[in-house]
Amino acid sequence: MVPQPHTPVAGSSLIGIQQTQGSGTAWHVSGTVTRTPFSGSSSNNTYLLPTSPMKGRRVGNDNYKPKVLRTCGARPACLVNASMTYCGNNQIFAFGGFDRDTDEVYNHVLKLDLGSLQWTLVDNYGDIPGVRMGHTACLWQGDKLLIHGGENEHREYLSDVVIFDLKTAHWTSPDIRGPIPRGRARHAATVYDEKLFILGGLTGAETYALDEICYLDLKTWTWSRSWSFVGRFDHSAWVWGGRLWVFGGLGPDMERTGELWWLDLKSSPAFKTTPEYGPLSPQINNRVAPSPRSAFAQFNQPQPMVTGTTGYTANSSSIQVRAAAMAPRPIAPGAIASMRFISGPNVPSQSLGTHFHVYSSGALLDFVTPADTIRPSECNLSALELDPLQWQKLAEGSEIFDPGYRWHYCAINEDGTKAWLLGCANDAPENGAGVFEEYLSDVLPLDLRRFGLLGNDLTPEPYVDQGKLPASDRHASSNLNGLGADLAIMFDKSPESGSGSDFTVTGERDDEVDDDTLVTPSSHNVNETQQFLAPDASTSAPIYVHKLILQARWPHFTRVYAAQMAEFHTKKMHIPEPYTVVRAFLYYLYTDSIARHPEFCPSLAEVAGLLVMSNIYDMPRLRLLCIHRLSREVDVETAAVVWDRAGLAGEEWLRRRAASFCLTHWGRLVRTEGFRRLSRQSMMELCEVIDVEGRVVGGEELEVVGGLGGGKFGVGGSGRIMAKSRTSIPGAQLGEEMEDIESVEDEGMEMN
C-alpha cells in the first residue's frame, strides 16, 4: 500500500452540490462555473472528488408496471394469423389475417400510430397480393416489408414473395429464380445477411408440418435448394451469433414443444455463396434425412397454374405451390444441435397459457400472458440466455399483466428495447345481437430496459469472425473490442513503465470500508468546506490513469475539467468508494466492459458498486450493463450485496429480483460473508421483505412438498415420489423413468 493524503468522509456513496466559499471556488452542475486562481500551496495535496450529480439525474426507479392504452380509429378485429410488424417511426403495420366472426380472409394493410394510438386503413397500390393468413412479414432495409407464403380463402398454401414499400404504399413482385419451395403457412422467417430464411410451416392436402429450411438471396432474388432441419409450425426463428435458432411452436405430433434447435450458418459455404439457378450441385451435402411423411410419399397433387414472369399473378386467389410428392431432403449443412428443457424453477411450461416468443439482447423472451388455461400466478416474463443456455424469470405476471385483458399479437423494435402486446379486454361489448365484438382495441407498451435488457446494439455476439478482428483482440478469453483491448494494456501502469500515465486516483482501503457507513445518496450532504484530503489520511494504492481518457469517457470528470478545478494542478484525486470498485470503474472507462476479469473486476461485488457509481455520476450505459449482469449472475454469495446496492442506486426492479433470490435461498444466504457485512438497518429491511404470514420451512419438509433447490413451493417433490408417480401412468417405460430422474440431476435439460 502506498499511503496517500486523505480526509475521512462519512459515507462512501455521496450526492450533493459542493460550494467552497472559503477559497472562492463555486461548482454548480447546472449553472456557470466560476473559476478562481489556484493556490500553489496545495499542489502536493490530493483533491477529494465531489460526488455531485447532474441536474435532473434520475435518483430513483419507481415501481414500474406497464399501462394498457386504448386505441382508436379503424381498429381491426382480433384477426387470426395476421402479421403485426413494428416498422420504425413509432408505427406497427398489420397485414392479412382471418376474421372468425365473418369467416373472411383479408389482404388489408392497417397502420397503428403508437404516438396517437390511431388505427388507419392504408391505401395501397401496385401488384396488390391476394388475401392470406399465416404468412410472414419481415422488415427489410428499414422501409420495406417482405411478405412470404400463407394460406388463402380456399385453404391453398402460397409460396409467393411480395414487397410492400412503406414510404409509397406500393406493392411489387420481384422476378424470382431458382427452385420454388413448397407453399406453406404458419411458418417462420427471418432476414440475415441479405437472405430471407424460411423454416417449417404447414403444407399439403392433409396438412402436415414441414421440416424444411431454405433461403431467398435478396441480392439476386434466387431461391436456394431446400434442406431438412426440424419440423415445426407456429414457431419462432432468429439469428444470433452466426447461428439460426428455432424455438417453440408445434411439432409433427401437434403438441407444443419447448425444444430449442440451432444451426451453425458460418460453418457451411452453402449459406455464404449465392445459390445457383439450375440443377443441384453435386458438391452439396448428400446426407438424406428420413421423410416425416413417408406414408404419403406416393400422394400426387395437381401442379399449380402459374402466369407472369415470376410464375405468379399477384392479385389471384389461386396462387399456390403444392408438392407432388414428399421426396427425401438432404440434412441442412452445418452443425445442428438441440436442447429440451424438461423442468426447472424458471422454465416456463409451453403447454399452458398464451406465449409470445421474441428475440432481444442475446436472449429469447417468453411472454406468458393470461389465458383461460393458466393461473394468473403462472404468468410471467422469462428469458432464455443463449450464451449460457439458462432460463431467467425477469418479472412475475402481476408486475406486467392486467388479468382483465387477453393478448393476441406481440411486436418488438429492431433494437430489442421495446415491445408491444396487442389485444382486447375480456369484457368486450356486444353488438346488440348477443355477439361479442372483439377488436385489437388495446396495446400494452413494454420498456424492456426496465427488465435488465441492454438492446441488440449493446449486446455483443460471441461467435465473431476472428479474421475481422485486430491482432490485439484475437484471444479466446477476450471480451473487449479492438480499441478497448489496446487501451487496457496501458491501464494502471506507472509512468516509469513508459505508459504515459499523467494522473493518479485513489479510493478507500477495502479493509476500512464498513457497510454501516453506507448511506442513501440523496440523504447525505457533502461538507462544503472539504476539498482536500488530510496529509495523514490513509488511502488505497494509487491507480495510474490518463487524464485524456477520463475526460473523453467520464462526463462528470469533463465538467470538472472545464471548471479548471484544483485536482488538475495536483494531478491526484481521491474517490470515496472502495478501492476495488474504483479500479473496476476506471477499467470500464478504458475498455467499455464490465465483464469478469480476474484482476480488475473479479466478482459481482464490484459490479454492484459500479451500479451505485453509475447512479451517482449519471452514466446510463454503465447502469444498463450493471443491471444486465447483476440480474443474470446473482448468486448466494453476492445476493445480499446486490440487494443492498440496488437499494442505494434506486433500482427497484433489481432490488425485488435480488430479494426474491435471497428469500428462496435464505438458509444458505445468512451464512455468507456478504450478508454478515450488511448494516444492521439493511438486515432488518431484508428480513421485513418476508410476508407477515411467512415461515421458514425445513429442508426435509421442503424436499417432500417440493421446492428444494429453488423450485416453486409445492411443485416437484423428492426423486422417489416423482419416480413413483411416473410408474403409475399407463404405458410408462423404465427408460422414461430413469430419463426423468436423471433430468432432475442435470438441472432440467437435455442436449443432442
Side-chain angles (χ1 to χ4, degrees), residues 185-188 199-202 208-212 230-236 246-253 255-261 338:
R186 298 165 68 178
H187 52 293
L199 303 97
L202 289 175
Y208 55 89
L210 278 171
D211 65 347
E212 293 180 356
V230 55
R232 289 286 183 273
F233 66 95
D234 287 346
H235 53 294
S236 299
V246 175
F247 182 81
L250 291 88
D253 54 1
E255 292 184 0
R256 294 201 173 273
T257 176
E259 286 186 337
L260 177 71
W261 287 71
S338 67

Side-chain angles (χ1 to χ4, degrees), residues 158 201 401 431 497 526 606:
L158 315 176
F401 307 118
N431 61 0
S497 64
V526 178
E606 285 73 35

Side-chain angles (χ1 to χ4, degrees), residues 139-202:
L139 184 64
W140 178 51
Q141 295 183 344
D143 59 356
K144 297 178 181 65
L145 279 179
L146 291 177
I147 308 296
H148 173 265
E151 184 180 5
N152 62 18
E153 76 274 27
H154 302 297
R155 300 299 186 264
E156 294 169 330
Y157 295 105
L158 315 176
S159 190
D160 57 336
V161 176
V162 286
I163 305 173
F164 182 67
D165 192 307
L166 299 171
K167 294 181 178 179
T168 63
H170 194 272
W171 291 95
T172 56
S173 299
D175 187 6
I176 302 293
R177 300 187 300 168
I180 304 297
R182 292 182 175 91
R184 66 195 70 199
R186 298 165 68 178
H187 52 293
T190 184
V191 175
Y192 171 73
D193 193 25
E194 286 298 301
K195 297 178 178 65
L196 175 66
F197 285 88
I198 305 296
L199 303 97
L202 289 175

